[in-house]
Amino acid sequence: MPAPSPQQPVKRSPFQGFLPFFWLALASMGGILLADRVAIPAWGWLAGFLLCLLALILAWRLPERLALTHHLRRLTRVDQRLPGAILAVALCLGGWRYAAAQPAITPQHAAYYNDRGTVQMVGTVIKPPDFRDAVTNLTVAVESLEVLGGFAQQVNPAEISGGVLVQMQPGSAWAYGMRISVTGQLRTPPDGDDFSFQDFLARKGIGSLMTNPRVNRVEFDRGNPIKAALFTLHDRAVATLQTLFPSPEADLLAGILLGRDQGLSPELQAAFRRTGTAHIIAISGFNIAILAGLFSATFTRLLGRRWGALAAVSAISAYAVFVGGDAGVVRAAIMGAMGVLGGMFGRRQNGLNSLGLAALGMALINPNLPWDVGFQLSTAATLGLVLYAQPLEEWFVQFAARRISEEKAQKLVGPVSEFLLFTLAAQVMTLPIMIYHFGGVSWITLLANPLILPPQSLVMVLGGLALLTGLALPGMGQVLAIIALPFTRYTIRMVTWLARLPGSEVAYPSFHVLWLVVFYAVLFLLTLLPPGARRLTLKKIFSPQVGLLMLAGLTVLVWNRVLSAPDGRLHLTLLDDRGTLLVQTPSGGSVLIGGGESGSALNQALGEMLPSGGRHLDLLIIGSNAREDLLGLISVIKKVPIDMALWAVDPEVNQTSRTVVALLADQGVPAQPASAGAVVGAGEGLRIEILWAGERGALLWLTWENFHAVIPTGKVGECWDHLPAPPNALFLPAGLNVDDLPLEQITLWAPEVILLSATEADALPLQAALTGYPLVSRQVHGWVRVSSDGMGMWVRGQR
C-alpha cells in the first residue's frame, strides 16, 4: 500500500494574522498626511487623541448593563484584537506630532528675516558640505542673528535660531562642525508649480536660503566628535577606493558603497538615469534591502536562523556606521534590520510587524519622513523582501524541480535568491516610486534592470571586502579589487551601451501620484487575497472585455503616434503669455526657447505637442534671465531629457537662474554660453542665430529655406535694426510697452503675421496700436502655431 503523500500546507495571505504594528504605522502615517492637508492646530489633534482614548477606556470599564457601554463598544470596536479606537488614537497621534513639529515663524526664528535686508549670523555647519561643480552647499544651524539694515530687529540676536542653507562659490575648504560668521541676505526658497524647493528644505528643518554671502571661519571642531570621526573615516574610505580602483569604477563604488556620487561624469550619471538604474549609484533603501537579504541568507546558512538573523543585523549596523551614519542610511538600515528580525521565525507576519514598528517609531520621531524619498524606497524595498522573497523562492524550487532533482533545486535556490530573486522582489516595489520621483526613466529600464541588477550583490560584497581590506592591508585590498573590478566594469559598460540604444530617449510619461496609489493598491489586493480568490480575480481582470478595452487603448495610442509623426514642415508654437516657443523641425527635432512661469502648464503643453512616448528636447535656448521666464523650466528639466542648453544671457544674476544652472548640471545637460553672432544648426538647413544679446534678453533670428522669423526673448531694448532681412513671422516679446513698439520697422518689413504674447492688461494697448496689421494674439487662442514648408506659411490657433 503506497504511503500517503504529505499534506501540502495551506497557503495564507501574509496580511492574515495579528499585525498590530503594521496597521498602527499605517494609521499614524494617515494622520501625518491628513495634518499636512488639513489645517488643524496641534491642540485639536491632541483633543481628538484624548477623546478616542477616553472612549476606549470607558468601553472597557463601564458596566455592560448600561446602554452607553454597548454604543461605545460598537463605536470603538473594542471586542476586536486590535480595536478601531486604537487605530484612531494612532491617527490622532500622528496628526498631533506633525502639527506640533511645524515651526512658528516668529522673531525668534531665522526665517522671519527672509527678504528683509542684510543680516549677519553666526552658526555651525551641522552636515558634511555638499560640494558641487557650480556651488557648495552648507547646512547651518543659526546660533545668533543680527539685522544690519533695512528692518528693525525686535529681539536679542542670541535668541534667534533656525536652519539656513548657505550656497557659495566652489573652491574653499569647509567641514562639518565649523562655526562660521555669514553676512548676506536671507531669502525664501523658491516655490515652483511641480517642485517646491521651499517645502523640500522645510521638511529638513531649513526655512531660509542665502546665496553668495561673505563667510568667515570663527571656530573649528564644534560638531559631535563621534559624527566627526565617522565623516573622517568616510573621507578616508573614498580615498582608499580611488587608490584601489581606476576611474570611473572607483567613483561608481564610492556611490554604491559610500553614497558619494559626485565623482561620476555628467554623461555617465545621465546614462544611469536614462536606463532607470540610478538607484544603484547611491546608498538607498534598495541597496540596504539587498544587503539585508544577502546577509540574512548567508548567515542563516552558516549559523542557523536565530543567530544568523542577529549576525545579519550586526553586519547591517556596522555597514551603516562605516559609511558615515547619515540619517538616510540609518533609516534604511533600521528598516532592513527590522525586516531581518521579523523573518527570524520564518513568518512574513513577523516581518510586517517589525517593519511597521520601525516605520511607526521613525515617523513619530520625524513626522516629515513620509515625504523623504529615501524613506519611501527603504520601506518599499524591505516590504518587497518581506512579502515576495519567500514566494519567489518557492516558485523557483517548483520550476527548477521540473528539470533537475528537488534536492539540487533546494541547494540552487540559495545563490539564485541572493543574486537575483531578492533584487527582483525589491525592484518590483521600488521601481514605480523611482519613476514617479525622478522622471525621465526610459522604457529601456525593462531591459536594463534584468541585465544590470543580478551582479550588484557581487559588486557590493566584493567591492566592500576590497575596501575594508584596503583600509587595513593595502596590498591585500588590491588583490580583492582585481577580483571585484570586472563586475563593476560590466555595470558601467552595460549601462553606457543600453543608454545609446536607438529609442532609449523615449521615457515613461510623467503621471499623477494617484496612479502610484492605484498600482500599490492593486498589488497589495492581489497579495492580500488567498490563492483561489486571486486566480478568480486575475481571470476576471484578463477577461475578453478587458482585452477589448486594452486593444482599443492600444489602437488609440498607435494612431496618436502616427498622427504626431514628423510631416516635413517646420512648426513654431507659441505656448504662453511669456513668449515660450516650441520649434519642431521637419524631421521631428525639437527646440524650446524660454520656459515661462508655470511648470505644470509647460509640462502639459510639451506632453501635447511632442510625440507620444518621445518627450525629448534636442536644444533648450534661454534668452531671458527674468524669474518669470525661468520658473517653468525647474520642473521640465527634471522630466524631459535635454541634449544641450544654450545661455544667451548671464545665468548668475538671480537665484532662479542659478537654480536652473544647478538643475541642468544635476541632469547632466551640457550648458554653453552664447554671445551675439553665435549660430546653432538644428538640421536640414534650419539655423538659429543670436543677432543681439544684452544683460536681460536676446534677439534670435530663425531661418529655414525661404522662411524667416524674428524671436525676441526677455528685455531686448533698442535692437530692431539688426535684422538681416524682412521676417515672415514677427514674435513680440512679453512686457513690451506701446512706446517701445517699432511700428516704422514693422511697416517696412510687412511681415505676414505678428504674434503677440502678453497678459490681458498688456495686450489691449498693443492690439490697439497694431490695428490693421496681421496680428494674432495669445489672448484669443490657447496656443498659436506658425507652420511652413520653406515656401508658404500657415497660421493655426486653438480656442
Side-chain angles (χ1 to χ4, degrees), residues 284-294 332 336 377-378 380-382 385 422 426:
S284 66
F286 178 82
N287 302 60
I288 297 290
I290 295 303
L291 282 178
L294 185 63
L377 291 174
S378 301
T382 307
L385 288 178
F422 292 159

Side-chain angles (χ1 to χ4, degrees), residues 233 236-245 257 322 461-482:
L233 177 62
R236 186 184 166 204
V238 172
T240 301
L241 284 176
Q242 297 292 344
T243 302
L244 295 177
F245 294 90
L257 299 174
F322 176 72
V461 171
L462 295 177
L465 288 175
L467 174 58
L468 289 173
T469 308
L471 287 169
L473 301 170
M476 183 61 68
Q478 194 67 63
V479 174
L480 293 174
I482 294 174

Side-chain angles (χ1 to χ4, degrees), residues 5 24 78 123 132 245-246 273 293 366 402 479 528 585 653 675 730 782 786:
S5 60
L24 286 173
V78 73
R132 302 282 173 175
F245 294 90
R273 282 192 297 272
N366 180 6
R402 299 172 190 167
V479 174
L528 174 66
T585 69
V653 298
S675 56
L730 169 62
V786 175

